[in-house]
Amino acid sequence: MTTPFSPRALLLAGCAGIAAFAAPAHAQDAGVDTAATTAGEQDEGVIIVTARRREERLIDVPLSVTALTGEELAQQGVQDLTQIAQQVPNITLEVSRGTNTTLTAFIRGVGQQDPVAGFEAGVGLYVDDVYLNRPQAAVLDIYDVERIEVLRGPQGTLYGRNTIGGAIKYVTARLPDETSVKIRGTYGSYDQADLIVTASTPVTDNLRIGASGARLSRGGFGKNLTLGTENYNKDVWAARGTVEFDNGPLFVRLSGDYVKDNSEARQGHRLIQSLLSGAPVLDDVFDTRAGLNIVDQEVEAYGGALNVALELSDTLTLKSITGYRKDKSTTPIDFDSLPAVDLDVPAIYKNDQFSQELQLLYESDRLSGVVGFYYLDASAFTAFDVGLWTTGDLLYLLNPAVDLRGLTAQTLGDVNTKTWSVFGDFTYELTDTISISLGGRYTNDKRSSRVLRTSFAGGFSDLFGGTGTAFAVTSDFDGSRTFKDFNPRASISWQPNADNNFYFTYSQGFKGGGFDPRGQTTACRNSTGGACTAQEVFDFMSFDPETVDSYELGWKSSLLDNRLNISLAGFLGQYKNVQIPGSVGFDSNGDGTNDSFIGITSNAASADVNGIEFEGNALVGKDFAGAGSRFSVNWSLGYLDAKYNTFIDAFGNDVADSRVFQNTPDVTAHMGFDLGLPAAGGMVDFIGLASLRSDASQFEVPNPFLDQDGFVLVDASIVYTADSGLFSIGLHGKNLFDKEYIVSGYNFVAGGTPPGTPFTPTLGLEGTLTGFYGDPRRVFVTAQINF
């Protein structure tokens, strides 16, 4: 998992490539906030953005941001949030293992693998400026979206929640001024059948209302051979509603959304023969033998936002962003993917949050900026049983008089977060060519946690419809802790002329500490191996904040009469007190066999994360095959050199040399094109995209069975749009070469390397080594009618 390229070599290659290649047709580094770039502006090469809460040209903004418009995403056939990662450098977006809608996100090596409720995310996700405080139900379907923005590096001095790795902003479309109805339908491979209906109308000159409904369905990529159900299918109902009032100085937007996901449980593919029953590996990676079905796979999420902006004067604007969200998920996680209860975990997740943000924006001739206040009150509840096939089950087979079957460990974890912060960021133009920005954020995070673990005999607990009987409480923790920090940001920008901007930015990111809701107090051991004191248990169950100091040097330029726009950035990240969450097998009764798994999160590491990013956009030619014809090409390149400096394992040893960053390929890149030709009273767009990801590891410890070698995905679309704008139809192909690639997995075995070494289960008896895969080749047709 190494690369022959150094950051310096790639930086030089990127500079040389500017002369030879044009780059993305989308608005790279366009942090659009309240006004989207119009197609006309893109054609002329002038991109107006509001990344710093005011309208600016793209090249004037000293931030690393990529924005993809809703129109682009629709033309490319992009259907959910994870797919945008193919076009953005140094980012990983995946569906979390064993789920359909839980998001795993990494930016520049910072993120969260385990979708554990109550953890603060390394990458923040916003829906209409409302921060989502959980990964569940965060794989957002893309419809009626104005744009999606990806901000790379620490965020927090401009708005919202502080995020250490970066932020993703999902911005829904504003309501049009006139009555409109839009119907969009899709049919394709695996019986995919989607229907989205959107309607809106003005009620008065200042008041508009609108609503959207979506039915999204698809058959499974594979089958569950034990239960006779589909695997990797989709069964989603969704709706949105919006009310907007705008009289000039006052703008009010009230919006709400609802999602119900009834898709079948997504279960894994065993990568090794089962060690006890001898079940062979299945031929189709999307098939499974998972037998857990005591709860349905079900996700329900809803929320609302109230956005208010009031112009107090020519220089002052007051904004308020109020948000509420709630979701509940039940999921049968069959780790071993076998019919028997060898390592089965039915789980429940519940999340509830309220947030309030206030901003005061100032803009004059030379000074502009924002000061703000943010408050979040959130609760995250996790409940799961761990059902294991243990030696007790084997003893019963030999002697029924010794009945130790069906021992189940139940965990109830409840984490509450109350956080508030104040932030500010101002830019002052020292001269006509030099400007400086200074910002900062003070954060006060309070975490409170209750973790209760109980052992049951005779099967699963009654919480999951089982008949098990509780016989012991093995862990009961109740604790609270407050984390405080101040994080600065500063930048300087030099623009020798209107077409070039050189900038340097320093920013510090902060991710609060907390408590692992899967923790086990009795797993704590003091330095002599004995039982822990109350304070030692508290320290064992909790973990500290992590921080990153980020330094970025960038250059943005607009060339060839604004037809070529490029952005090149190099960055250094000093990552401290890195939080390392993990799951390990645990022997709760001292019989020498692990009878449960527990979560252990520690601040085990420090690291350096350095790299470069190159993006751009260009219009290579226009009007060469008739009026309106055009040809643009697009590319991006990201390189990361992420390395642990220290990594202390459970035995106190520094194992940094044998640990790697998870879900962080060294190289991410994409190249694409859009050829538009006038035909039949409209425009036909031929769109192609190839995206590359180099080798990546699923966990900090490399695993040759789960780690994914580098690969390339190729997509293509042909889209016809009528000149009237009333009709469009497109043919889309995804993963055209049907590349098979792992996106996540579970590992509870030892051995296997070198080849021929026997596997040994570390939890259960069958040996759990299962993988989850990215989507196979899909072809679908999408048509849209506008009224």
Side-chain angles (χ1 to χ4, degrees), residues 50 64 88 131 177-178 193 210 297-298 301 306 357 380 388-389 398 403 416 427 453 481 512 527 546 553 569 647 750:
T50 55
S64 289
V88 181
Y131 173 75
D177 294 329
E178 299 179 351
Q297 176 76 33
E298 189 175 57
L306 176 64
E357 181 175 353
L388 284 173
W389 181 268
L398 298 174
D403 191 355
N416 294 307
T427 300
R453 294 178 67 96
R481 191 175 174 190
S527 57
E546 63 181 22
L553 180 64
F647 195 113

Side-chain angles (χ1 to χ4, degrees), residues 82-311:
T82 63
Q83 296 172 23
I84 70 169
Q86 291 180 235
Q87 305 179 58
V88 181
N90 292 329
I91 184 174
T92 296
L93 298 176
E94 297 168 349
V95 178
S96 299
R97 57 198 180 189
T99 76
N100 292 304
T101 59
T102 301
L103 182 67
T104 293
F106 286 79
I107 294 179
R108 291 181 176 177
V110 180
Q112 179 181 335
Q113 168 79 302
D114 273 338
V116 179
F119 275 54
E120 185 178 327
V123 175
L125 177 62
Y126 294 80
V127 175
D128 289 336
D129 285 332
V130 174
Y131 173 75
L132 305 190
N133 194 55
R134 75 294 183 273
Q136 285 78 30
V139 179
L140 304 175
D141 292 297
I142 295 174
Y143 68 97
D144 289 346
V145 62
E146 181 177 301
R147 66 195 175 275
I148 294 177
E149 307 169 20
V150 180
L151 294 79
R152 298 184 293 279
Q155 308 295 322
T157 64
L158 286 166
Y159 53 83
R161 187 82 160 105
N162 49 299
T163 50
I164 190 170
I168 301 170
K169 297 180 66 179
Y170 183 104
V171 183
T172 60
R174 287 279 188 91
L175 299 181
D177 294 329
E178 299 179 351
T179 299
S180 68
V181 177
K182 179 172 64 178
I183 301 174
R184 184 176 180 85
T186 300
Y187 184 79
S189 305
Y190 301 97
D191 290 328
Q192 177 184 352
D194 300 340
L195 180 65
I196 302 169
V197 179
T198 302
S200 65
T201 186
V203 178
T204 68
D205 290 342
N206 300 323
L207 182 65
R208 298 181 296 273
I209 60 173
S212 298
R215 171 59 174 148
L216 311 172
S217 65
R218 189 197 63 237
F221 300 144
K223 295 289 186 182
N224 186 316
L225 304 182
T226 299
L227 302 178
T229 57
E230 295 181 292
N231 203 26
Y232 290 80
N233 77 319
K234 188 167 188 174
D235 184 358
V236 173
W237 294 86
R240 291 197 190 112
T242 305
V243 178
E244 292 181 355
F245 175 84
D246 188 355
N247 69 358
L250 176 64
F251 174 79
V252 180
R253 187 177 202 240
L254 176 64
S255 59
D257 62 89
Y258 176 84
V259 175
K260 183 66 179 297
D261 188 341
N262 296 316
S263 307
E264 298 287 352
R266 180 175 297 201
Q267 304 290 10
H269 171 77
R270 288 188 61 85
L271 303 177
I272 60 173
Q273 175 178 302
S274 56
L275 303 182
L276 184 66
S277 60
V281 175
L282 296 173
D283 293 332
D284 190 331
V285 298
F286 295 105
D287 285 347
T288 185
R289 294 192 184 92
L292 182 62
N293 66 345
I294 65 171
V295 294
D296 292 330
Q297 176 76 33
E298 189 175 57
V299 179
E300 184 176 34
Y302 55 90
L306 176 64
N307 293 57
V308 181
L310 175 63
E311 294 181 8

